[in-house]
Amino acid sequence: MKPLGNTRALKLAGLVYLAVLSLVLVLNSYTRNHHNWDVIGYTAAAYKLMGETGTDRLSARTYDDIRRATAPETFEKLTTGGYRAAVYQDPEALRQQLPFYSIRPLYVALSIAGSKLTGTIAGGTALVSALCGGLLLILGWAAVSPRSIALAALLPFALYEAGLGSLARLSTPDGLAALVALAALLLCQRHPRPAMLLFALLPLARTDFVILLPFAALLLHGRVPRLWIAAMLGFGAATVVGLNAFSGNYGYLRIFDFTLVSGPQPYPAEMK
């Protein structure tokens, strides 16, 4: 009986340790959010999703939200200097940025939900990213602790140094997409049907994560009916095509030019 009691005490201590570290990561990430420029794009996409269609009104609501969520010096950094100033000063330039962000509806929708707690959409994006960081820590623990408690105890610090701390402070869907992908992978062996559902939802978090679906099909082969796997692949492909068409996305060649060649442009719709 004594070894059993020791095991329970060790597990309880581990859960307390994990809860404290996860809470610290969430609070630290939320209060020290990087406020990268993407917060503007996702805030604007959220207002558009909520029904704001007027170009001028969309710009005004977006930047008012950002102003309320950030310190004055941060707001100035987000709205001055070349590209950022042009998007701030011309509502049409902001409208043309939206296709880059509205193709991530899961993150946008969760940010809207998070705004009910934070009071701003910008704060909602920070809250979602911070919570995803904390949940990634928990999933990492769930994956490693059955094999080694000692290794699991070191894992949070290893993940933080590997970039989880920075990821959780960015207003981007990267943490959310990583969380959904990791959860799906952990469920594959014992719970293949929920895993398949999560894999199918991945393109809603990041469309480029659709490339993981063929690997998911290999992992799920023999665990769920082939017809279900085909449906997952078809749903993922249809989601990517539908999101790009609905949002008027510019296509990968222009995105490549925008991000890596010409650099950010205030009017991407006019790029050749």
Side-chain angles (χ1 to χ4, degrees), residues 20-79:
V20 170
L21 288 183
S22 298
L23 182 60
V24 169
L25 176 62
V26 171
L27 293 176
N28 180 67
S29 300
Y30 176 71
T31 57
R32 298 177 58 198
N33 184 271
H34 286 314
H35 295 299
N36 51 304
W37 194 91
D38 283 347
V39 68
I40 296 174
Y42 288 114
T43 299
Y47 279 114
K48 182 182 178 182
L49 185 63
M50 291 190 294
E52 186 57 71
T53 56
T55 301
D56 292 347
R57 177 67 175 164
L58 177 66
S59 179
R61 294 189 70 183
T62 296
Y63 281 102
D64 178 65
D65 188 290
I66 303 297
R67 184 182 285 107
R68 288 186 289 117
T70 61
E73 58 271 18
T74 301
F75 183 80
E76 182 180 3
K77 184 189 301 183
L78 291 171
T79 56

Side-chain angles (χ1 to χ4, degrees), residues 131-156:
L131 288 174
C132 287
L135 291 173
L136 279 167
L137 207 61
I138 292 172
L139 286 188
W141 177 278
V144 174
S145 60
R147 295 166 176 82
S148 170
I149 289 292
L151 186 59
L154 295 174
L155 181 66

Side-chain angles (χ1 to χ4, degrees), residues 10 19 27 44 51 68 78 91 106 112 114-116 124 126 128 154 156 163 165 231 262:
L10 186 61
L27 293 176
R68 288 186 289 117
L78 291 171
L106 185 57
I112 294 172
S115 71
K116 307 303 180 184
V128 172
L154 295 174
S262 299

Side-chain angles (χ1 to χ4, degrees), residues 138-220:
I138 292 172
L139 286 188
W141 177 278
V144 174
S145 60
R147 295 166 176 82
S148 170
I149 289 292
L151 186 59
L154 295 174
L155 181 66
F157 302 99
L159 289 176
Y160 189 86
E161 288 299 319
L164 180 60
S166 295
L167 183 67
R169 292 199 295 272
L170 292 172
S171 291
T172 71
D174 298 354
L176 175 62
L179 178 66
V180 176
L182 180 57
L185 287 171
L186 293 178
L187 287 172
C188 267
Q189 186 171 5
R190 295 187 179 181
H191 306 285
R193 294 180 184 181
M196 184 186 66
L197 177 61
L198 289 178
F199 277 124
L201 292 176
L202 263 177
L204 292 174
R206 279 195 66 103
T207 50
D208 46 0
F209 269 45
V210 72
I211 63 174
L212 295 179
L213 296 190
F215 300 100
L218 293 176
L219 292 173
L220 294 168

Side-chain angles (χ1 to χ4, degrees), residues 89-135:
Q89 294 165 6
D90 187 355
E92 172 59 21
L94 177 62
R95 187 193 67 79
Q96 291 192 22
Q97 308 301 311
L98 288 178
F100 295 124
Y101 300 94
S102 55
I103 58 172
R104 280 76 184 261
L106 185 57
Y107 181 71
V108 173
L110 289 175
S111 297
I112 294 172
S115 71
K116 307 303 180 184
L117 296 174
T118 64
T120 62
I121 300 294
T125 67
L127 181 61
V128 172
S129 294
L131 288 174
C132 287
L135 291 173

